[in-house]
Amino acid sequence: IALINRNLISQPTERRAMPRVELRCRAHLKWGTNVAAAMLRNISAQGLQLEGADLPARGTFVSVFLEGLNVPPGEIVWTKGGLAGVELLEDLSWTSIIPWIREVGRKAA
């Protein structure tokens, strides 16, 4: 929770509606018959940011796969270079995100 609060405070005012947790881990993205590897850069209850070479265009509906976390489908709402923002169609609960973040951190250490 302290990490979320620090990240929330460090966000510009217009971006503080939903705290984002900076985190790096592998992700896979599926849209249509396409599958691409990506790197998760941050996550919130309403979305996430991905980095990758073969990310789909804005407006594409995607499924995001993160080991150990059930992520609802979402839509690519912005892209810039090798980055993309995914807005989830249903919010993730912090009660599922926080234990997952701890587990990812434990595995990285």
Side-chain angles (χ1 to χ4, degrees), residues 18-79:
M18 187 57 60
R20 290 160 183 79
V21 177
E22 300 291 325
L23 184 68
R24 301 290 190 270
C25 73
R26 288 189 204 202
H28 288 88
L29 209 57
K30 184 177 186 321
W31 67 102
T33 60
N34 302 299
V35 176
M39 181 67 66
L40 176 72
R41 293 177 52 103
N42 68 50
I43 189 167
S44 76
Q46 295 178 333
L48 43 94
Q49 184 183 87
L50 298 170
E51 180 177 8
D54 299 315
L55 300 176
R58 184 174 183 252
T60 304
F61 288 93
V62 296
S63 295
V64 179
F65 301 95
L66 298 169
E67 184 180 343
L69 185 65
N70 187 19
V71 180
E75 179 182 0
I76 302 289
V77 292
W78 63 266
T79 61

